[in-house]
């Protein structure tokens, strides 16, 4: 596993990005006009990404959005949006594998 990660870095397939959850949620709120959100989605859909890390990133956002109001409607809407956005980029099977 270590050698795979090192190989990806040496091949130039490795990119480090730090994501601030408040920015992600703010941009999701303006999803129809946010170029940042599209770049973010393109980045997390890269095939070189670790699926567990992407699932954790999205899961943490879901937990942040869960407020118990409206039976978690905001959280459910974000989950549906992320699944649809990743499905557009990876296909449905690829998106489900990424979020498994």
């Amino acid at each position: 596993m270590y050698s795979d990660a090192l190989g990806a870095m040496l091949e130039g397939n490795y990119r480090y990005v730090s994501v601030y959850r408040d920015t992600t949620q703010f941009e999701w709120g303006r999803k129809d006009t946010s170029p940042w959100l599209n770049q973010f989605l393109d980045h997390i859909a890269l095939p070189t990404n670790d699926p567990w890390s992407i699932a954790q990133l999205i899961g943490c956002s879901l937990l942040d959005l869960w407020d118990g109001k409206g039976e978690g409607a905001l959280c459910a809407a974000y989950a549906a949006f992320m699944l649809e956005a990743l499905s557009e980029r990876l296909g449905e099977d690829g998106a489900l594998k990424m979020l498994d």
Side-chain angles (χ1 to χ4, degrees), residues 8-92:
M9 288 173 63
L10 293 174
E11 292 172 14
N13 293 332
Y14 177 80
R15 295 181 181 129
Y16 175 79
V17 172
S18 180
V19 178
Y20 187 56
R21 67 178 181 237
D22 289 342
T23 301
T24 305
Q25 292 172 16
F26 172 78
E27 294 294 335
W28 173 60
R30 18 177 263 143
K31 61 185 167 275
D32 296 328
T33 60
S34 174
W36 181 92
L37 186 60
N38 284 321
Q39 290 175 355
F40 168 73
L41 292 166
D42 289 344
H43 184 77
I44 66 171
L46 289 171
T48 54
N49 284 334
D50 172 41
W52 184 86
S53 297
I54 300 304
Q56 293 299 307
L57 173 71
I58 293 170
C60 287
S61 292
L62 291 173
L63 290 174
D64 286 342
L65 290 168
W66 182 262
D67 61 5
K69 299 175 186 171
E71 297 179 0
L74 190 60
C75 183
Y78 185 79
F81 171 79
M82 292 304 289
L83 182 57
E84 182 179 338
L86 289 176
S87 292
E88 289 172 4
R89 288 159 173 81
L90 299 167
E92 187 175 336

